[in-house]
Amino acid sequence: MNFWETVDSELEYQKKERKDLAAAAGFDVSNIGKGMKNGSIPLADTAVRIANFLNVSVEYLVSGGKSLGSFSNSDISNDFRKFFFYRRMVNKIDSLPEKTKSAIVEMFEKI
């Protein structure tokens, strides 16, 4: 996951909109898509405003909260893909009716 993919995933998790982030951090909303495509990282002051809006650290946005020195790039990439994949699934399950959610939890507990 690159910086902007982490930002986008955090926006989804917090149920916040890209346009609100862009307005709060002072950049055009199209920068998110461009940054995701290019794998870029914004200037430090912009990264700080983004982190403040999301109430997370800049380190988290860059590394997902892990110390970059302790992992190789492929470890980070694979771990983040798994993390964000499962986090999206959990968010979807949370939005289901309680009865459906209970059935899914019961199914997982039996596995």
Side-chain angles (χ1 to χ4, degrees):
M1 289 276 183
N2 69 36
F3 178 92
W4 289 108
E5 289 170 333
T6 304
V7 167
D8 206 38
S9 182
E10 192 62 32
L11 285 168
E12 180 182 335
Y13 177 73
Q14 294 185 24
K15 296 180 173 55
K16 294 183 177 181
E17 299 290 326
R18 285 180 172 188
K19 63 181 169 77
D20 297 327
L21 168 63
F27 61 84
D28 190 271
V29 71
S30 67
N31 290 359
I32 297 172
K34 290 175 189 173
M36 289 174 73
K37 181 180 177 184
N38 298 332
S40 63
I41 297 176
L43 296 174
D45 60 329
T46 302
V48 168
R49 287 193 302 270
I50 292 167
N52 288 340
F53 177 82
L54 294 171
N55 199 30
V56 298
S57 69
V58 173
E59 180 184 8
Y60 169 76
L61 296 175
V62 173
S63 69
K66 297 179 182 179
S67 171
L68 289 175
S70 63
F71 296 94
S72 72
N73 287 339
S74 63
D75 288 338
I76 291 171
S77 180
N78 290 332
D79 286 348
F80 285 145
R81 281 190 190 101
K82 287 178 191 174
F83 171 77
F84 289 114
F85 172 78
Y86 289 116
R87 186 166 81 172
R88 283 187 188 108
M89 287 180 34
V90 168
N91 288 341
K92 288 178 183 179
I93 291 169
D94 277 344
S95 68
L96 295 172
E98 195 59 42
K99 188 174 181 179
T100 305
K101 201 179 341 181
S102 295
I104 292 171
V105 169
E106 184 178 334
M107 178 186 70
F108 276 109
E109 287 175 345
K110 289 182 180 182
I111 295 176

